[in-house]
Amino acid sequence: MSTAILTGQPVPGSSLEGDLRSLGFDVRVATDAGDAETLLAAVPANQRVAIVDARFVGHPHALRLGLTDPRFPAAALPGAVTAQPAARQALTRALARENSAAAGHATVVTGDLAERITEALDADGVPVHRTELGTLVAVVPADPQARNEARQAVLAVDDEAVRLSSAVKARDGFFTTYFISPYSRYIARWCARRGLTPNQVTTASLLTALIAAGCAATGTRGGFVAAGILLILSFVLDCTDGQLARYSLQYSTLGAWLDATFDRAKEYAYYAGLALGAARGGDDVWALALGAMVLQTCRHVVDFSFNEANHDAAANTSPTAALSDRLDSVGWTVWARRMIVLPIGERWAMIAVLTAATTPRITFYALLVGSAFAATYTTAGRVLRSLTRKARRTDRAARALADLADSGPLAELLLRVARGTSHRAASYLALAGAVLVVGSALLWGAGWQTVLCAVGYALASAIAVARPLKGALDWLVPPIFRAAEYGTVLVLAAEADVNKALPAAFGLVAAVAYHHYDTVYRIRGDAGAPPRWLVRATGGHEGRTLLVTVLAALLTAAQFTVALTALAGYVALMVLAESIRFWVAAHRAGAPAVHDEGEPA
């Protein structure tokens, strides 16, 4: 339960008390600043409290946006201010000063108390979130005429229509915007009115996608058609969970992690289902499925690394960025540019339709071509921006890139051996090492030449991260490492040419990719990188790459498959256990709520 303290006597005919109670507030009335201070002291420290001017006139959704959003410790709108437990002490101090300033006056005016407290919080350096209300009304009328005008303004705007509209993500892909969101917002409202949470809808989306993967795994035409339909339904639910979170302001750290993690799990499980279905029909497409997962994961790491490297960069401008802004001013180019990057809506729609109408092989070919083009387009644009931008990257960005690099104990050892060695062009050195190890796997397969090249890759990658990653193109280092590790596993498993080698490699890459995604979501949530012991226990990217090449050289193809399966199980157990422990503990400890709109991945 939250508490709202009304300052002043309620205005006859006002719906304010009822609106606040409908939002979950226990309403109390303060006759003066001293009374408000007493009431505030009586509210338990672990509860949210709001101070609201009794003369307030506005939409219920304006109050909801301003007073119930869990993401902000302190927030305000005209005539109201709220504080969560993290900002309660600051609110108490501000109200105490107001009460002290009013001491000795025969008459204490409570009017504008909420506004004065908001100003006091600002003066104390407490970040107070000001809610963007758009067409919603939130005012404190000074006289009866102004009150009547404000009430007429409230009646002129449909509160529920605004709430539904704002539930939809501001920036989304063409397919999602025109084929999903027009009706999924109503599903979100239906869920809200029945008390369903975004996490429950997220879980339903995951289960639907897993059933779709199971249908695809049957290898029958009916199974493929059902899989395509269920995949679209899963995506509808995937959109609905975010819209439900925005509609009802049910944001949480755990929810953001579940939403992001389950998106990846759904897509890659569906790839596996398609590959199993094709195998039932006598067509082995596991290499294509693994290639699609590798390409998609590397695309995401490019997005994450570039954004982390530049989100707080000084002088964040470039001629390329200016050209992009000009293109965005032309209507049709906005949608064209959003579609060619193959965001999740377009990608899943393409996969669903091709699954139902064609074969898994054709589906994967189309996915690989589309994703490769999208990756080339986005990466080339970001490289041009980086080369033409005059920017100084921060220590925080360098730390984030170092965490995303996932360098393990072998890199630490090699750096001690090659003490004093460093290289300014980290991205070029990382690329050279990646080409060395993947190229050797392609040329020599499971041979000791590949092992030696993997040692060279480990040394090159260690030197690449010896200096802080602040160069113009250093954001490319993590995705290059991902491509090298995943690519080596893919090539060696494909060249093993035995049943189950590629499925085992698929499982290993999926487990490692989960670890890398988890690192990203921790950094995005300001929770820091995974603990160092986990990185050491899983070997780091260079250690795993070297280990896979050694196993391929030492073992027979059948033994290599068993070793890949065991390694996949070990990595999955380690990263899943630590990830679940961390996020559940963070949620229980009351970690700040987040809602990352992100990119249409």
Side-chain angles (χ1 to χ4, degrees):
M1 175 68 74
S2 302
T3 299
I5 300 173
L6 289 184
T7 57
Q9 289 300 321
V11 177
S14 172
S15 63
L16 180 58
E17 287 190 67
D19 291 340
L20 289 171
R21 289 193 176 94
S22 71
L23 297 176
F25 285 96
D26 177 24
V27 181
R28 303 175 187 179
V29 179
T31 56
D32 55 34
D35 195 15
E37 186 178 8
T38 301
L39 291 173
L40 177 61
V43 178
N46 62 347
Q47 287 188 10
R48 175 194 287 273
V49 64
I51 296 176
V52 185
D53 195 313
R55 300 168 298 166
F56 177 89
V57 176
H59 288 98
H61 191 51
L63 288 170
R64 180 182 291 106
L65 291 172
L67 302 183
T68 69
D69 196 321
R71 295 173 295 176
F72 310 107
L77 71 162
V81 61
T82 184
Q84 294 199 73
R88 278 286 300 277
Q89 289 186 351
L91 179 65
T92 300
R93 290 194 302 268
L95 187 54
R97 286 197 298 270
E98 282 294 323
N99 190 33
S100 176
H105 290 266
T107 303
V108 180
V109 179
T110 58
D112 299 329
L113 179 61
E115 296 293 341
R116 297 199 302 273
I117 291 176
T118 302
E119 293 172 2
L121 291 174
D122 282 331
D124 278 353
V126 177
V128 180
H129 174 72
R130 263 71 171 189
T131 304
E132 293 289 338
L133 297 177
T135 59
L136 295 174
V137 176
V139 296
V140 180
D143 53 61
Q145 180 179 350
R147 171 171 292 277
N148 183 60
E149 292 173 354
R151 286 175 170 171
Q152 293 301 316
V154 169
L155 294 174
V157 176
D158 187 339
D159 177 270
E160 179 61 19
V162 173
R163 187 181 179 189
L164 269 175
S165 177
S166 61
V168 177
K169 188 185 293 187
R171 183 183 184 276
D172 226 327
F174 179 85
F175 178 78
T176 305
T177 299
Y178 290 103
F179 292 92
I180 304 296
S181 293
Y183 57 88
S184 61
R185 69 185 75 181
Y186 295 101
I187 301 176
R189 182 173 66 181
W190 183 90
C191 293
R193 290 177 175 177
R194 282 150 185 82
L196 297 176
T197 67
N199 289 354
Q200 290 171 331
V201 178
T202 300
T203 303
S205 176
L206 172 66
L207 293 175
T208 304
L210 293 179
I211 296 171
C215 291
T218 63
T220 64
R221 176 52 51 195
F224 289 148
V225 171
I229 294 172
L230 287 171
L231 187 63
I232 292 297
L233 177 58
S234 175
F235 183 64
V236 171
L237 293 174
D238 182 55
C239 295
T240 300
D241 64 3
Q243 291 165 358
L244 174 58
R246 286 182 287 272
Y247 182 84
S248 56
L249 300 186
Q250 296 184 71
Y251 304 128
S252 70
T253 299
L254 181 64
W257 171 69
L258 286 175
D259 183 48
T261 303
F262 283 5
D263 276 352
R264 306 286 78 81
K266 288 179 289 189
E267 186 166 3
Y268 300 152
Y270 192 83
Y271 292 175
L274 274 180
L276 287 170
R280 285 180 178 274
D283 189 12
D284 186 356
V285 297
W286 274 106
L288 298 178
L290 180 52
M293 182 167 67
V294 169
L295 181 55
Q296 198 60 41
T297 303
C298 291
R299 277 189 63 196
H300 287 144
V301 179
V302 167
D303 295 339
F304 299 146
S305 294
F306 181 80
N307 291 336
E308 287 300 324
N310 294 285
H311 90 282
D312 58 356
N316 196 1
T317 59
S318 72
T320 308
L323 174 61
S324 178
D325 292 339
R326 286 197 297 273
L327 288 174
D328 280 343
S329 66
V330 182
W332 68 269
T333 65
V334 174
W335 293 117
R337 295 174 70 214
R338 290 187 191 179
M339 291 174 68
I340 62 176
V341 300
L342 206 62
I344 188 169
E346 276 75 358
R347 190 167 68 250
W348 282 26
M350 180 186 74
I351 294 171
V353 170
L354 291 178
T355 298
T358 64
T359 66
R361 180 172 290 274
I362 293 175
T363 301
F364 280 123
Y365 280 150
L367 179 61
L368 286 166
V369 171
S371 296
F373 178 82
T376 302
Y377 171 79
T378 55
T379 305
R382 286 167 178 172
V383 167
L384 287 174
R385 288 191 183 196
S386 300
L387 292 175
T388 56
R389 172 184 290 140
K390 296 179 180 179
R392 179 178 58 81
R393 291 180 172 82
T394 64
D395 291 336
R396 180 202 175 281
R399 283 194 302 272
L401 292 179
D403 292 334
L404 289 172
D406 190 35
S407 298
L410 180 58
E412 296 173 355
L413 175 63
L414 290 173
L415 271 181
R416 284 197 293 270
V417 172
R419 185 170 299 167
T421 303
S422 63
H423 201 286
R424 291 183 179 274
S427 57
Y428 298 111
L429 188 60
L431 180 60
V435 171
L436 178 67
V437 68
V438 177
S440 66
L442 286 168
L443 286 174
W444 296 301
W448 290 105
Q449 304 97 318
T450 303
V451 174
L452 290 176
C453 290
V455 173
Y457 164 71
L459 179 60
S461 63
I463 297 173
V465 297
R467 299 170 62 93
L469 297 175
K470 293 185 176 182
L473 295 178
D474 284 357
W475 57 270
L476 283 169
V477 170
I480 288 173
F481 288 167
R482 299 296 82 78
E485 179 183 359
Y486 302 161
T488 301
V489 173
L490 168 60
V491 172
L492 291 178
E495 293 192 352
D497 197 25
V498 295
N499 287 335
K500 300 182 181 178
L502 280 166
F506 189 97
L508 175 59
V509 172
V512 175
Y514 176 89
H515 168 55
H516 292 144
Y517 281 119
D518 188 57
T519 302
V520 167
Y521 302 138
R522 293 194 195 209
I523 293 172
R524 279 187 165 184
D526 290 326
R532 192 62 197 163
W533 70 260
L534 179 64
V535 177
R536 292 192 177 105
T538 53
H541 71 92
E542 78 292 344
R544 290 187 298 269
T545 303
L546 179 58
L547 176 60
V548 169
T549 61
V550 170
L551 292 173
L554 282 175
L555 304 176
T556 65
Q559 292 170 335
F560 179 58
T561 299
V562 174
L564 285 181
T565 304
L567 182 59
Y570 168 76
V571 173
L573 178 64
M574 295 293 291
V575 300
L576 280 172
E578 162 56 22
S579 176
I580 293 171
R581 181 210 63 80
F582 171 80
W583 289 105
V584 171
H587 179 70
R588 289 177 176 173
V594 297
H595 184 72
D596 184 8
E597 294 286 355
E599 297 292 322

PDB file of all heavy atoms in Angstrom, residues 9 13-14 21 114 136 143 152 162 193 208 210 275 302 346 387 422 455 505 569 587 597:
ATOM      1  N   GLN A   9      -7.995  20.993   2.450  1.00  0.00           N
ATOM      2  CA  GLN A   9      -9.271  20.290   2.430  1.00  0.00           C
ATOM      3  C   GLN A   9      -9.688  19.968   0.997  1.00  0.00           C
ATOM      4  O   GLN A   9      -9.538  20.797   0.099  1.00  0.00           O
ATOM      5  CB  GLN A   9     -10.357  21.131   3.105  1.00  0.00           C
ATOM      6  CG  GLN A   9     -10.193  21.243   4.619  1.00  0.00           C
ATOM      7  CD  GLN A   9     -10.235  19.890   5.300  1.00  0.00           C
ATOM      8  OE1 GLN A   9     -11.019  19.009   4.921  1.00  0.00           O
ATOM      9  NE2 GLN A   9      -9.377  19.707   6.309  1.00  0.00           N
ATOM     10  N   GLY A  13     -16.942  18.045  -4.822  1.00  0.00           N
ATOM     11  CA  GLY A  13     -17.146  17.557  -6.183  1.00  0.00           C
ATOM     12  C   GLY A  13     -15.903  17.027  -6.859  1.00  0.00           C
ATOM     13  O   GLY A  13     -15.971  16.522  -7.975  1.00  0.00           O
ATOM     14  N   SER A  14     -14.748  17.137  -6.206  1.00  0.00           N
ATOM     15  CA  SER A  14     -13.502  16.656  -6.806  1.00  0.00           C
ATOM     16  C   SER A  14     -13.437  15.133  -6.744  1.00  0.00           C
ATOM     17  O   SER A  14     -13.839  14.520  -5.752  1.00  0.00           O
ATOM     18  CB  SER A  14     -12.298  17.258  -6.078  1.00  0.00           C
ATOM     19  OG  SER A  14     -11.094  16.662  -6.528  1.00  0.00           O
ATOM     20  N   ARG A  21      -7.228   6.597  -4.663  1.00  0.00           N
ATOM     21  CA  ARG A  21      -7.512   5.271  -4.111  1.00  0.00           C
ATOM     22  C   ARG A  21      -7.532   4.201  -5.205  1.00  0.00           C
ATOM     23  O   ARG A  21      -7.102   3.069  -4.997  1.00  0.00           O
ATOM     24  CB  ARG A  21      -8.846   5.296  -3.354  1.00  0.00           C
ATOM     25  CG  ARG A  21      -8.787   6.074  -2.041  1.00  0.00           C
ATOM     26  CD  ARG A  21     -10.011   5.817  -1.174  1.00  0.00           C
ATOM     27  NE  ARG A  21      -9.892   6.498   0.103  1.00  0.00           N
ATOM     28  CZ  ARG A  21     -10.391   7.702   0.368  1.00  0.00           C
ATOM     29  NH1 ARG A  21     -11.072   8.355  -0.575  1.00  0.00           N
ATOM     30  NH2 ARG A  21     -10.219   8.250   1.551  1.00  0.00           N
ATOM     31  N   ALA A 114       3.333  21.080  -2.486  1.00  0.00           N
ATOM     32  CA  ALA A 114       3.972  20.058  -3.313  1.00  0.00           C
ATOM     33  C   ALA A 114       4.999  20.669  -4.256  1.00  0.00           C
ATOM     34  O   ALA A 114       6.092  20.119  -4.454  1.00  0.00           O
ATOM     35  CB  ALA A 114       2.911  19.300  -4.115  1.00  0.00           C
ATOM     36  N   LEU A 136      -2.518  14.970 -21.808  1.00  0.00           N
ATOM     37  CA  LEU A 136      -3.167  14.794 -20.513  1.00  0.00           C
ATOM     38  C   LEU A 136      -3.116  16.088 -19.702  1.00  0.00           C
ATOM     39  O   LEU A 136      -2.175  16.884 -19.824  1.00  0.00           O
ATOM     40  CB  LEU A 136      -2.502  13.671 -19.729  1.00  0.00           C
ATOM     41  CG  LEU A 136      -2.617  12.260 -20.318  1.00  0.00           C
ATOM     42  CD1 LEU A 136      -1.782  11.277 -19.513  1.00  0.00           C
ATOM     43  CD2 LEU A 136      -4.077  11.814 -20.361  1.00  0.00           C
ATOM     44  N   ASP A 143      -8.512  29.550  -9.053  1.00  0.00           N
ATOM     45  CA  ASP A 143      -9.827  30.099  -8.726  1.00  0.00           C
ATOM     46  C   ASP A 143     -10.901  29.227  -9.376  1.00  0.00           C
ATOM     47  O   ASP A 143     -10.604  28.366 -10.211  1.00  0.00           O
ATOM     48  CB  ASP A 143      -9.941  31.545  -9.219  1.00  0.00           C
ATOM     49  CG  ASP A 143      -9.592  31.691 -10.692  1.00  0.00           C
ATOM     50  OD1 ASP A 143     -10.284  31.065 -11.532  1.00  0.00           O
ATOM     51  OD2 ASP A 143      -8.621  32.409 -11.005  1.00  0.00           O
ATOM     52  N   GLN A 152     -13.211  21.110 -17.934  1.00  0.00           N
ATOM     53  CA  GLN A 152     -13.630  20.991 -19.327  1.00  0.00           C
ATOM     54  C   GLN A 152     -12.493  20.422 -20.182  1.00  0.00           C
ATOM     55  O   GLN A 152     -12.726  19.614 -21.099  1.00  0.00           O
ATOM     56  CB  GLN A 152     -14.060  22.362 -19.861  1.00  0.00           C
ATOM     57  CG  GLN A 152     -15.319  22.918 -19.207  1.00  0.00           C
ATOM     58  CD  GLN A 152     -16.520  22.004 -19.384  1.00  0.00           C
ATOM     59  OE1 GLN A 152     -16.758  21.481 -20.476  1.00  0.00           O
ATOM     60  NE2 GLN A 152     -17.270  21.796 -18.305  1.00  0.00           N
ATOM     61  N   VAL A 162      -5.514   7.752 -24.540  1.00  0.00           N
ATOM     62  CA  VAL A 162      -4.115   8.163 -24.390  1.00  0.00           C
ATOM     63  C   VAL A 162      -3.317   7.047 -23.726  1.00  0.00           C
ATOM     64  O   VAL A 162      -2.182   6.750 -24.128  1.00  0.00           O
ATOM     65  CB  VAL A 162      -4.031   9.460 -23.569  1.00  0.00           C
ATOM     66  CG1 VAL A 162      -2.575   9.799 -23.252  1.00  0.00           C
ATOM     67  CG2 VAL A 162      -4.682  10.604 -24.311  1.00  0.00           C
ATOM     68  N   ARG A 193      -6.728  -5.793 -16.778  1.00  0.00           N
ATOM     69  CA  ARG A 193      -8.005  -5.800 -16.052  1.00  0.00           C
ATOM     70  C   ARG A 193      -8.241  -7.134 -15.338  1.00  0.00           C
ATOM     71  O   ARG A 193      -9.100  -7.199 -14.444  1.00  0.00           O
ATOM     72  CB  ARG A 193      -9.143  -5.501 -17.016  1.00  0.00           C
ATOM     73  CG  ARG A 193      -9.125  -4.046 -17.505  1.00  0.00           C
ATOM     74  CD  ARG A 193     -10.208  -3.762 -18.511  1.00  0.00           C
ATOM     75  NE  ARG A 193     -10.236  -2.336 -18.871  1.00  0.00           N
ATOM     76  CZ  ARG A 193     -11.042  -1.806 -19.777  1.00  0.00           C
ATOM     77  NH1 ARG A 193     -11.897  -2.581 -20.435  1.00  0.00           N
ATOM     78  NH2 ARG A 193     -11.000  -0.512 -20.031  1.00  0.00           N
ATOM     79  N   THR A 208       4.674 -20.629 -25.751  1.00  0.00           N
ATOM     80  CA  THR A 208       4.095 -20.714 -27.095  1.00  0.00           C
ATOM     81  C   THR A 208       5.174 -20.942 -28.140  1.00  0.00           C
ATOM     82  O   THR A 208       5.010 -21.755 -29.064  1.00  0.00           O
ATOM     83  CB  THR A 208       3.310 -19.430 -27.413  1.00  0.00           C
ATOM     84  OG1 THR A 208       2.323 -19.203 -26.406  1.00  0.00           O
ATOM     85  CG2 THR A 208       2.629 -19.521 -28.762  1.00  0.00           C
ATOM     86  N   LEU A 210       8.104 -22.337 -27.626  1.00  0.00           N
ATOM     87  CA  LEU A 210       8.643 -23.695 -27.457  1.00  0.00           C
ATOM     88  C   LEU A 210       7.709 -24.730 -28.076  1.00  0.00           C
ATOM     89  O   LEU A 210       8.173 -25.715 -28.669  1.00  0.00           O
ATOM     90  CB  LEU A 210       8.865 -23.987 -25.971  1.00  0.00           C
ATOM     91  CG  LEU A 210       9.954 -23.162 -25.284  1.00  0.00           C
ATOM     92  CD1 LEU A 210      10.066 -23.535 -23.812  1.00  0.00           C
ATOM     93  CD2 LEU A 210      11.306 -23.333 -25.982  1.00  0.00           C
ATOM     94  N   ALA A 275      15.653 -27.378 -37.430  1.00  0.00           N
ATOM     95  CA  ALA A 275      16.715 -28.302 -37.824  1.00  0.00           C
ATOM     96  C   ALA A 275      16.317 -29.745 -37.526  1.00  0.00           C
ATOM     97  O   ALA A 275      16.575 -30.652 -38.331  1.00  0.00           O
ATOM     98  CB  ALA A 275      18.012 -27.950 -37.095  1.00  0.00           C
ATOM     99  N   VAL A 302      27.274  -6.460 -31.889  1.00  0.00           N
ATOM    100  CA  VAL A 302      27.620  -5.198 -32.558  1.00  0.00           C
ATOM    101  C   VAL A 302      26.750  -4.057 -32.023  1.00  0.00           C
ATOM    102  O   VAL A 302      27.239  -2.978 -31.692  1.00  0.00           O
ATOM    103  CB  VAL A 302      27.464  -5.328 -34.083  1.00  0.00           C
ATOM    104  CG1 VAL A 302      27.508  -3.956 -34.755  1.00  0.00           C
ATOM    105  CG2 VAL A 302      28.566  -6.213 -34.657  1.00  0.00           C
ATOM    106  N   GLU A 346       9.895  -8.170 -38.348  1.00  0.00           N
ATOM    107  CA  GLU A 346      10.064  -8.593 -39.743  1.00  0.00           C
ATOM    108  C   GLU A 346      10.730  -9.965 -39.815  1.00  0.00           C
ATOM    109  O   GLU A 346      10.375 -10.806 -40.657  1.00  0.00           O
ATOM    110  CB  GLU A 346      10.901  -7.563 -40.493  1.00  0.00           C
ATOM    111  CG  GLU A 346      10.129  -6.380 -41.030  1.00  0.00           C
ATOM    112  CD  GLU A 346       9.742  -5.381 -39.945  1.00  0.00           C
ATOM    113  OE1 GLU A 346      10.043  -5.622 -38.754  1.00  0.00           O
ATOM    114  OE2 GLU A 346       9.123  -4.360 -40.277  1.00  0.00           O
ATOM    115  N   LEU A 387      34.536   6.496 -37.501  1.00  0.00           N
ATOM    116  CA  LEU A 387      35.726   7.069 -38.132  1.00  0.00           C
ATOM    117  C   LEU A 387      35.609   8.574 -38.341  1.00  0.00           C
ATOM    118  O   LEU A 387      36.617   9.288 -38.372  1.00  0.00           O
ATOM    119  CB  LEU A 387      35.993   6.376 -39.470  1.00  0.00           C
ATOM    120  CG  LEU A 387      36.434   4.910 -39.394  1.00  0.00           C
ATOM    121  CD1 LEU A 387      36.535   4.315 -40.790  1.00  0.00           C
ATOM    122  CD2 LEU A 387      37.769   4.788 -38.661  1.00  0.00           C
ATOM    123  N   SER A 422      51.601  -3.905 -25.812  1.00  0.00           N
ATOM    124  CA  SER A 422      50.244  -3.410 -26.032  1.00  0.00           C
ATOM    125  C   SER A 422      50.130  -2.928 -27.467  1.00  0.00           C
ATOM    126  O   SER A 422      51.138  -2.768 -28.158  1.00  0.00           O
ATOM    127  CB  SER A 422      49.890  -2.276 -25.059  1.00  0.00           C
ATOM    128  OG  SER A 422      50.746  -1.167 -25.275  1.00  0.00           O
ATOM    129  N   VAL A 455      46.401 -20.700 -30.282  1.00  0.00           N
ATOM    130  CA  VAL A 455      47.311 -20.070 -29.318  1.00  0.00           C
ATOM    131  C   VAL A 455      47.650 -18.652 -29.784  1.00  0.00           C
ATOM    132  O   VAL A 455      47.668 -17.701 -28.978  1.00  0.00           O
ATOM    133  CB  VAL A 455      48.592 -20.906 -29.144  1.00  0.00           C
ATOM    134  CG1 VAL A 455      49.608 -20.157 -28.283  1.00  0.00           C
ATOM    135  CG2 VAL A 455      48.264 -22.254 -28.524  1.00  0.00           C
ATOM    136  N   ALA A 505      27.442 -28.743 -31.029  1.00  0.00           N
ATOM    137  CA  ALA A 505      28.026 -27.413 -31.192  1.00  0.00           C
ATOM    138  C   ALA A 505      26.964 -26.329 -31.031  1.00  0.00           C
ATOM    139  O   ALA A 505      27.226 -25.264 -30.456  1.00  0.00           O
ATOM    140  CB  ALA A 505      28.685 -27.306 -32.569  1.00  0.00           C
ATOM    141  N   GLY A 569      27.075 -28.654 -21.555  1.00  0.00           N
ATOM    142  CA  GLY A 569      26.351 -28.852 -20.305  1.00  0.00           C
ATOM    143  C   GLY A 569      27.013 -28.140 -19.147  1.00  0.00           C
ATOM    144  O   GLY A 569      26.334 -27.525 -18.300  1.00  0.00           O
ATOM    145  N   HIS A 587      16.115  -8.839  -7.685  1.00  0.00           N
ATOM    146  CA  HIS A 587      14.691  -8.514  -7.632  1.00  0.00           C
ATOM    147  C   HIS A 587      14.185  -8.497  -6.190  1.00  0.00           C
ATOM    148  O   HIS A 587      13.466  -7.576  -5.778  1.00  0.00           O
ATOM    149  CB  HIS A 587      13.911  -9.551  -8.445  1.00  0.00           C
ATOM    150  CG  HIS A 587      12.436  -9.348  -8.450  1.00  0.00           C
ATOM    151  ND1 HIS A 587      11.834  -8.304  -9.119  1.00  0.00           N
ATOM    152  CD2 HIS A 587      11.419 -10.046  -7.853  1.00  0.00           C
ATOM    153  CE1 HIS A 587      10.519  -8.367  -8.939  1.00  0.00           C
ATOM    154  NE2 HIS A 587      10.246  -9.413  -8.177  1.00  0.00           N
ATOM    155  N   GLU A 597      13.639   0.073 -23.506  1.00  0.00           N
ATOM    156  CA  GLU A 597      12.986  -0.012 -24.813  1.00  0.00           C
ATOM    157  C   GLU A 597      13.933  -0.605 -25.846  1.00  0.00           C
ATOM    158  O   GLU A 597      13.539  -1.373 -26.701  1.00  0.00           O
ATOM    159  CB  GLU A 597      12.544   1.393 -25.271  1.00  0.00           C
ATOM    160  CG  GLU A 597      11.464   2.004 -24.394  1.00  0.00           C
ATOM    161  CD  GLU A 597      10.107   1.370 -24.613  1.00  0.00           C
ATOM    162  OE1 GLU A 597       9.985   0.523 -25.509  1.00  0.00           O
ATOM    163  OE2 GLU A 597       9.175   1.719 -23.888  1.00  0.00           O
TER     164      GLU A 597
END
